[in-house]
Amino acid sequence: DAKTTQPNSMESNEEEPVHLPCNHSTISGTDYIHWYRQLPSQGPEYVIHGLTSNVNNRMASLAIAEDRKSSTLILHRATLRDAAVYYCILRRSGGSNYKLTFGKGTLLTVNP
Amino acid sequence: DGGITQSPKYLFRKEGQNVTLSCEQNLNHDAMYWYRQDPGQGLRLIYYSQIVNDFQKGDIAEGYSVSREKKESFPLTVTSAQKNPTAFYLCASSRTANQISYEQYFGPGTRLTVT
């Protein structure tokens, strides 16, 4: 399975945008990029996913590099409730696509 | 409200005892999953079920057992054969297991401590 690399931690101020990077240099053409986040002592929560084009939803935006070797999750205005571990996950169509393979993710701290 | 419930939130057991963790969903999802999370680590898949009366082993199934007799329920039993059972256990569901565009919905988790 293709691997992802994320910074261990990042810090942001409340009401400022946050850009969370993810490198996936061995991504294949059929790999979807998914993002989940996990608040302290809770189960993970789906954030967004995409294949090639940039994606927006009510929670965040996903910017995917043209060569797809990296992507960035964008939180437009961070709030204290956005403090969580953010996971970037690749899911390949076919084969063992049923499972989510979580790495260690990026711990986002939001300062008031 | 639709969602996944796990009970209890905290569970304490003595070594050598089997324990069953509950997971119920009212999302009408076909697929359900059990993951385990250790401190500072990502999630690892224990078992998953794509449909009622069917389930498959995940990456770390040894010492665990499951059943899927009803669509909405997927209980996990941690047996005495599991060498390091203390962990945070998460149940999830998705519409199907085969569509990677379908997100997985997670329950609040059960924190199991075995002493």
Side-chain angles (χ1 to χ4, degrees):
Chain A
D1 287 343
K3 286 185 65 173
T4 63
T5 304
Q6 299 177 254
N8 290 334
S9 62
M10 289 185 65
E11 208 167 314
S12 172
N13 295 321
E14 204 174 4
E15 298 191 5
E16 291 184 356
V18 181
H19 291 232
L20 295 160
C22 181
N23 286 323
H24 28 78
S25 57
T26 59
I27 191 170
S28 81
T30 57
D31 286 338
Y32 280 72
I33 302 159
H34 285 243
W35 284 81
Y36 281 73
R37 72 180 185 181
Q38 187 174 21
L39 279 64
S41 298
Q42 295 187 29
E45 174 187 30
Y46 167 82
V47 178
I48 200 166
H49 77 275
L51 182 61
T52 56
S53 305
N54 294 345
V55 185
N56 301 297
N57 67 19
R58 63 173 179 82
M59 288 181 70
S61 296
L62 176 60
I64 301 173
E66 202 168 321
D67 63 5
R68 299 207 329 123
K69 293 185 188 298
S70 65
S71 61
T72 302
L73 179 71
I74 302 165
L75 306 179
H76 296 286
R77 287 177 76 239
T79 69
L80 297 178
R81 289 170 55 186
D82 291 321
V85 178
Y86 285 79
Y87 298 97
C88 170
I89 299 166
L90 299 183
R91 299 187 74 189
R92 179 167 297 173
S93 60
S96 60
N97 62 42
Y98 50 84
K99 68 177 178 180
L100 296 174
T101 301
F102 287 76
K104 294 188 179 180
T106 297
L107 174 63
L108 175 66
T109 302
V110 180
N111 300 315
Chain B
D1 278 18
I4 300 180
T5 56
Q6 291 185 244
S7 60
K9 191 168 178 62
Y10 298 95
L11 190 53
F12 298 88
R13 279 293 183 270
K14 294 288 189 188
E15 201 173 310
Q17 293 179 335
N18 291 355
V19 59
T20 297
L21 281 57
S22 165
C23 176
E24 304 278 329
Q25 55 101 357
N26 61 3
L27 299 166
N28 201 32
H29 285 171
D30 284 326
M32 296 187 75
Y33 314 80
W34 273 106
Y35 291 89
R36 168 187 172 134
Q37 186 173 35
D38 294 286
Q41 304 296 316
L43 280 67
R44 292 182 290 168
L45 183 68
I46 305 172
Y47 267 98
Y48 72 103
S49 167
Q50 296 189 69
I51 200 165
V52 175
N53 293 323
D54 181 66
F55 49 83
Q56 282 81 40
K57 293 181 180 179
D59 298 322
I60 55 164
E62 187 175 346
Y64 299 98
S65 66
V66 293
S67 63
R68 186 86 187 277
E69 297 175 1
K70 297 187 295 182
K71 186 175 185 176
E72 57 270 22
S73 179
F74 191 41
L76 173 75
T77 297
V78 184
T79 75
S80 56
Q82 168 49 234
K83 296 194 186 328
N84 297 299
T86 295
F88 188 43
Y89 290 87
L90 288 153
C91 180
S93 72
S94 64
R95 264 191 254 179
T96 73
N98 298 325
Q99 283 288 343
I100 59 174
S101 60
Y102 289 151
E103 62 262 39
Q104 292 187 10
Y105 293 79
F106 285 82
T110 291
R111 196 168 296 279
L112 173 66
T113 302
V114 176
T115 58

Coordinates of all heavy atoms in Angstrom, one line a residue, chain A residues 14-66:
Chain A
E14 N -6.5 30.7 16.6 CA -8.0 30.7 16.3 C -8.3 31.7 15.3 O -7.7 32.8 15.2 CB -8.7 31.0 17.6 CG -10.1 30.5 17.7 CD -10.8 30.8 19.1 OE1 -10.1 31.4 19.9 OE2 -11.9 30.3 19.2
E15 N -9.3 31.3 14.4 CA -9.8 32.2 13.3 C -8.8 32.4 12.2 O -9.1 33.2 11.3 CB -10.3 33.5 13.8 CG -11.5 33.3 14.8 CD -12.2 34.6 15.1 OE1 -11.8 35.7 14.6 OE2 -13.1 34.6 16.0
E16 N -7.7 31.8 12.2 CA -6.7 31.8 11.1 C -6.8 30.6 10.2 O -7.2 29.5 10.7 CB -5.3 32.0 11.6 CG -5.0 33.4 12.2 CD -3.6 33.6 12.6 OE1 -2.8 32.6 12.5 OE2 -3.2 34.6 13.1
P17 N -6.4 30.6 9.0 CA -6.5 29.4 8.1 C -5.3 28.5 8.5 O -4.3 28.9 9.0 CB -6.3 29.9 6.7 CG -5.6 31.3 6.9 CD -6.0 31.8 8.2
V18 N -5.6 27.2 8.3 CA -4.6 26.2 8.6 C -4.4 25.3 7.4 O -5.4 24.9 6.8 CB -5.1 25.2 9.8 CG1 -4.0 24.2 10.1 CG2 -5.4 26.0 11.0
H19 N -3.2 25.0 7.0 CA -2.9 24.2 5.9 C -2.1 23.0 6.4 O -1.0 23.1 6.9 CB -2.0 25.0 4.9 CG -2.7 26.0 4.2 ND1 -2.7 26.2 2.8 CD2 -3.5 27.0 4.6 CE1 -3.5 27.2 2.5 NE2 -3.9 27.8 3.6
L20 N -2.7 21.8 6.3 CA -2.1 20.6 6.8 C -1.6 19.8 5.6 O -2.4 19.3 4.8 CB -3.2 19.8 7.6 CG -3.7 20.4 8.9 CD1 -5.0 19.8 9.3 CD2 -2.7 20.3 10.0
P21 N -0.3 19.6 5.5 CA 0.3 18.9 4.4 C 0.3 17.4 4.5 O 0.4 16.8 5.6 CB 1.7 19.5 4.3 CG 2.0 19.7 5.7 CD 0.8 20.1 6.4
C22 N 0.3 16.7 3.4 CA 0.5 15.3 3.3 C 1.2 14.9 2.1 O 0.9 15.3 1.0 CB -0.9 14.6 3.3 SG -0.8 12.8 3.3
N23 N 2.3 14.1 2.2 CA 3.1 13.7 1.1 C 2.7 12.2 0.8 O 2.7 11.4 1.7 CB 4.6 13.8 1.3 CG 5.0 15.2 1.2 OD1 4.5 16.0 0.4 ND2 5.9 15.6 2.1
H24 N 2.5 11.9 -0.5 CA 2.2 10.5 -0.9 C 2.8 10.3 -2.2 O 2.2 10.1 -3.2 CB 0.7 10.2 -0.9 CG -0.2 11.4 -1.1 ND1 -0.4 12.0 -2.4 CD2 -0.9 12.2 -0.2 CE1 -1.2 13.0 -2.3 NE2 -1.5 13.2 -1.0
S25 N 4.2 10.2 -2.2 CA 4.9 10.2 -3.5 C 4.7 8.9 -4.3 O 5.0 8.9 -5.5 CB 6.4 10.4 -3.2 OG 6.9 9.4 -2.3
T26 N 4.3 7.8 -3.6 CA 4.1 6.5 -4.3 C 2.7 6.3 -4.6 O 2.3 5.1 -4.9 CB 4.7 5.4 -3.5 OG1 4.0 5.3 -2.2 CG2 6.2 5.5 -3.2
I27 N 1.9 7.3 -4.6 CA 0.4 7.1 -4.9 C 0.2 6.6 -6.3 O 0.9 6.9 -7.2 CB -0.3 8.5 -4.7 CG1 -1.8 8.3 -4.7 CG2 0.2 9.5 -5.8 CD1 -2.6 9.6 -4.4
S28 N -0.8 5.7 -6.4 CA -1.1 5.2 -7.7 C -2.3 5.9 -8.3 O -3.0 6.6 -7.6 CB -1.4 3.7 -7.6 OG -2.7 3.4 -7.2
G29 N -2.6 5.6 -9.6 CA -3.7 6.3 -10.2 C -5.1 6.0 -9.7 O -6.0 6.8 -9.9
T30 N -5.2 4.9 -9.0 CA -6.5 4.5 -8.5 C -6.7 4.8 -7.0 O -7.6 4.4 -6.3 CB -6.8 3.0 -8.7 OG1 -5.8 2.3 -8.1 CG2 -6.9 2.8 -10.2
D31 N -5.7 5.5 -6.4 CA -5.7 5.8 -4.9 C -6.5 7.1 -4.7 O -6.2 8.1 -5.3 CB -4.3 6.0 -4.4 CG -3.6 4.7 -4.2 OD1 -4.2 3.6 -4.1 OD2 -2.3 4.7 -4.1
Y32 N -7.5 7.0 -3.8 CA -8.3 8.2 -3.4 C -7.5 8.7 -2.1 O -7.0 7.9 -1.3 CB -9.7 7.8 -3.0 CG -10.6 7.7 -4.2 CD1 -10.6 6.7 -5.1 CD2 -11.6 8.7 -4.4 CE1 -11.4 6.6 -6.1 CE2 -12.5 8.6 -5.5 CZ -12.4 7.6 -6.3 OH -13.2 7.5 -7.4
I33 N -7.6 10.0 -2.0 CA -7.0 10.6 -0.8 C -8.1 11.0 0.2 O -9.0 11.7 -0.2 CB -6.2 11.9 -1.2 CG1 -5.1 11.6 -2.2 CG2 -5.6 12.6 0.1 CD1 -4.7 12.8 -3.0
H34 N -8.1 10.4 1.4 CA -9.1 10.6 2.4 C -8.5 11.3 3.6 O -7.3 11.0 3.9 CB -9.7 9.3 2.9 CG -10.7 8.7 1.9 ND1 -12.0 8.5 2.2 CD2 -10.5 8.2 0.6 CE1 -12.6 7.9 1.1 NE2 -11.7 7.7 0.2
W35 N -9.2 12.2 4.2 CA -8.8 12.8 5.5 C -9.9 12.5 6.6 O -11.1 12.7 6.3 CB -8.6 14.3 5.3 CG -7.4 14.7 4.6 CD1 -7.2 14.7 3.3 CD2 -6.2 15.2 5.2 NE1 -5.9 15.2 3.0 CE2 -5.3 15.4 4.2 CE3 -5.7 15.3 6.5 CZ2 -4.0 15.9 4.4 CZ3 -4.5 15.8 6.7 CH2 -3.6 16.1 5.7
Y36 N -9.3 12.1 7.7 CA -10.2 11.9 8.9 C -9.5 12.7 10.0 O -8.3 13.0 10.0 CB -10.2 10.5 9.3 CG -11.2 9.6 8.5 CD1 -10.9 9.2 7.2 CD2 -12.4 9.2 9.1 CE1 -11.8 8.5 6.5 CE2 -13.3 8.4 8.3 CZ -13.0 8.1 7.0 OH -13.8 7.3 6.3
R37 N -10.3 13.0 11.0 CA -9.7 13.7 12.2 C -10.2 13.0 13.5 O -11.3 12.4 13.4 CB -10.0 15.2 12.3 CG -11.4 15.6 12.6 CD -11.5 17.1 12.6 NE -12.9 17.5 13.0 CZ -13.2 18.7 13.1 NH1 -12.4 19.7 12.7 NH2 -14.4 19.1 13.4
Q38 N -9.5 13.0 14.5 CA -9.9 12.4 15.8 C -9.7 13.4 16.9 O -8.5 13.8 17.2 CB -9.0 11.1 16.0 CG -9.5 10.3 17.2 CD -8.8 9.0 17.3 OE1 -7.7 8.8 16.8 NE2 -9.4 8.1 18.1
L39 N -10.8 13.8 17.5 CA -10.7 14.6 18.7 C -10.3 13.8 19.9 O -10.5 12.6 19.9 CB -12.1 15.3 18.9 CG -12.4 16.6 18.1 CD1 -12.4 16.2 16.6 CD2 -13.6 17.3 18.6
P40 N -9.8 14.4 20.9 CA -9.3 13.6 22.1 C -10.4 12.7 22.7 O -11.5 13.1 22.9 CB -8.9 14.7 23.1 CG -8.6 15.9 22.3 CD -9.5 15.9 21.1
S41 N -10.0 11.5 22.9 CA -10.9 10.4 23.5 C -12.2 10.2 22.7 O -13.2 9.8 23.3 CB -11.2 10.8 24.9 OG -10.0 10.9 25.7
Q42 N -12.1 10.4 21.4 CA -13.3 10.2 20.5 C -12.9 9.3 19.4 O -11.7 9.1 19.1 CB -13.9 11.5 20.1 CG -14.5 12.3 21.2 CD -15.3 13.5 20.6 OE1 -15.8 13.4 19.5 NE2 -15.3 14.6 21.4
G43 N -13.9 8.8 18.7 CA -13.6 8.1 17.4 C -13.3 9.0 16.3 O -13.7 10.2 16.3
P44 N -12.6 8.6 15.3 CA -12.3 9.4 14.1 C -13.6 9.9 13.4 O -14.6 9.3 13.5 CB -11.5 8.5 13.2 CG -10.9 7.5 14.1 CD -12.0 7.3 15.2
E45 N -13.4 11.0 12.7 CA -14.5 11.6 12.0 C -14.1 11.9 10.6 O -13.0 12.5 10.4 CB -14.9 12.9 12.7 CG -15.9 13.8 12.0 CD -16.1 15.1 12.7 OE1 -15.1 15.6 13.3 OE2 -17.2 15.6 12.7
Y46 N -14.9 11.5 9.6 CA -14.5 11.8 8.2 C -14.5 13.3 7.9 O -15.4 14.0 8.4 CB -15.6 11.1 7.3 CG -15.6 11.6 5.9 CD1 -14.7 11.0 4.9 CD2 -16.5 12.6 5.4 CE1 -14.7 11.5 3.6 CE2 -16.5 13.0 4.1 CZ -15.6 12.4 3.2 OH -15.6 12.8 1.9
V47 N -13.5 13.8 7.2 CA -13.5 15.2 6.9 C -13.7 15.4 5.4 O -14.7 16.1 5.0 CB -12.1 15.8 7.2 CG1 -12.0 17.2 6.8 CG2 -11.8 15.6 8.7
I48 N -13.0 14.8 4.5 CA -13.1 15.0 3.1 C -12.3 14.0 2.3 O -11.5 13.3 2.9 CB -12.6 16.5 2.8 CG1 -13.1 17.0 1.5 CG2 -11.0 16.5 2.8 CD1 -12.9 18.5 1.3
H49 N -12.6 13.8 1.0 CA -11.8 13.0 0.2 C -11.8 13.5 -1.2 O -12.7 14.2 -1.6 CB -12.2 11.5 0.3 CG -13.4 11.2 -0.5 ND1 -14.7 11.3 0.0 CD2 -13.6 10.7 -1.8 CE1 -15.6 10.9 -0.9 NE2 -14.9 10.5 -2.0
G50 N -10.8 13.1 -2.0 CA -10.7 13.4 -3.4 C -9.8 12.5 -4.2 O -9.1 11.7 -3.6
L51 N -9.9 12.7 -5.5 CA -9.0 11.8 -6.4 C -8.0 12.7 -7.1 O -6.8 12.5 -7.0 CB -9.9 11.1 -7.4 CG -9.2 10.1 -8.3 CD1 -8.5 9.0 -7.6 CD2 -10.2 9.5 -9.4
T52 N -8.5 13.6 -7.9 CA -7.6 14.5 -8.7 C -7.9 16.0 -8.5 O -7.0 16.8 -8.4 CB -7.7 14.1 -10.2 OG1 -9.0 14.3 -10.6 CG2 -7.2 12.7 -10.5
S53 N -9.1 16.3 -8.5 CA -9.5 17.7 -8.5 C -9.6 18.2 -7.0 O -9.9 17.4 -6.1 CB -10.9 17.9 -9.1 OG -10.9 17.4 -10.4
N54 N -9.4 19.5 -6.8 CA -9.6 20.1 -5.5 C -11.1 19.9 -5.1 O -12.0 19.9 -6.0 CB -9.3 21.5 -5.5 CG -7.8 21.7 -5.8 OD1 -7.0 20.8 -5.7 ND2 -7.4 22.9 -6.1
V55 N -11.3 19.7 -3.8 CA -12.7 19.4 -3.3 C -13.0 20.4 -2.1 O -12.1 20.8 -1.4 CB -12.8 18.0 -2.8 CG1 -14.2 17.7 -2.3 CG2 -12.3 17.0 -3.8
N56 N -14.2 20.8 -2.0 CA -14.7 21.6 -0.9 C -15.9 21.0 -0.3 O -16.8 20.4 -1.0 CB -15.0 23.0 -1.4 CG -13.9 23.7 -2.1 OD1 -12.9 24.0 -1.5 ND2 -14.0 24.0 -3.4
N57 N -16.0 21.1 1.0 CA -17.2 20.8 1.7 C -17.4 21.7 2.9 O -16.6 22.6 3.0 CB -17.3 19.3 2.1 CG -16.3 18.9 3.2 OD1 -15.8 19.7 3.9 ND2 -16.1 17.6 3.2
R58 N -18.4 21.5 3.7 CA -18.7 22.4 4.8 C -17.6 22.5 5.8 O -17.4 23.4 6.6 CB -20.0 22.1 5.4 CG -20.1 20.8 6.1 CD -21.4 20.6 6.9 NE -21.4 19.3 7.5 CZ -20.8 19.0 8.6 NH1 -20.1 19.9 9.3 NH2 -20.8 17.7 9.1
M59 N -16.8 21.4 5.9 CA -15.8 21.3 7.0 C -14.4 21.9 6.5 O -13.7 22.5 7.3 CB -15.5 19.9 7.4 CG -16.7 19.3 8.2 SD -16.3 17.6 8.7 CE -15.0 17.8 9.9
A60 N -14.1 21.6 5.2 CA -12.7 21.9 4.8 C -12.6 21.9 3.3 O -13.6 21.6 2.6 CB -11.7 20.9 5.4
S61 N -11.4 22.2 2.8 CA -11.1 22.1 1.4 C -9.9 21.1 1.3 O -9.0 21.1 2.2 CB -10.7 23.4 0.8 OG -11.8 24.3 0.8
L62 N -9.8 20.4 0.2 CA -8.7 19.6 -0.1 C -8.1 20.0 -1.4 O -8.7 20.0 -2.5 CB -9.2 18.1 -0.2 CG -8.1 17.1 -0.6 CD1 -7.0 17.0 0.4 CD2 -8.7 15.7 -0.7
A63 N -6.8 20.4 -1.3 CA -6.0 20.8 -2.5 C -5.1 19.7 -2.9 O -4.3 19.3 -2.1 CB -5.3 22.1 -2.2
I64 N -5.2 19.2 -4.1 CA -4.4 18.1 -4.6 C -3.4 18.6 -5.6 O -3.8 19.2 -6.6 CB -5.3 16.9 -5.1 CG1 -6.2 16.5 -4.1 CG2 -4.4 15.8 -5.6 CD1 -7.3 15.5 -4.6
A65 N -2.1 18.3 -5.4 CA -1.1 18.7 -6.4 C -1.3 18.1 -7.8 O -1.9 17.0 -7.9 CB 0.3 18.3 -5.9
E66 N -0.9 18.7 -8.8 CA -1.1 18.3 -10.1 C -0.6 16.9 -10.4 O -1.2 16.0 -11.1 CB -0.5 19.2 -11.2 CG -1.1 19.1 -12.5 CD -0.7 20.3 -13.4 OE1 -0.6 21.4 -12.9 OE2 -0.4 20.1 -14.6

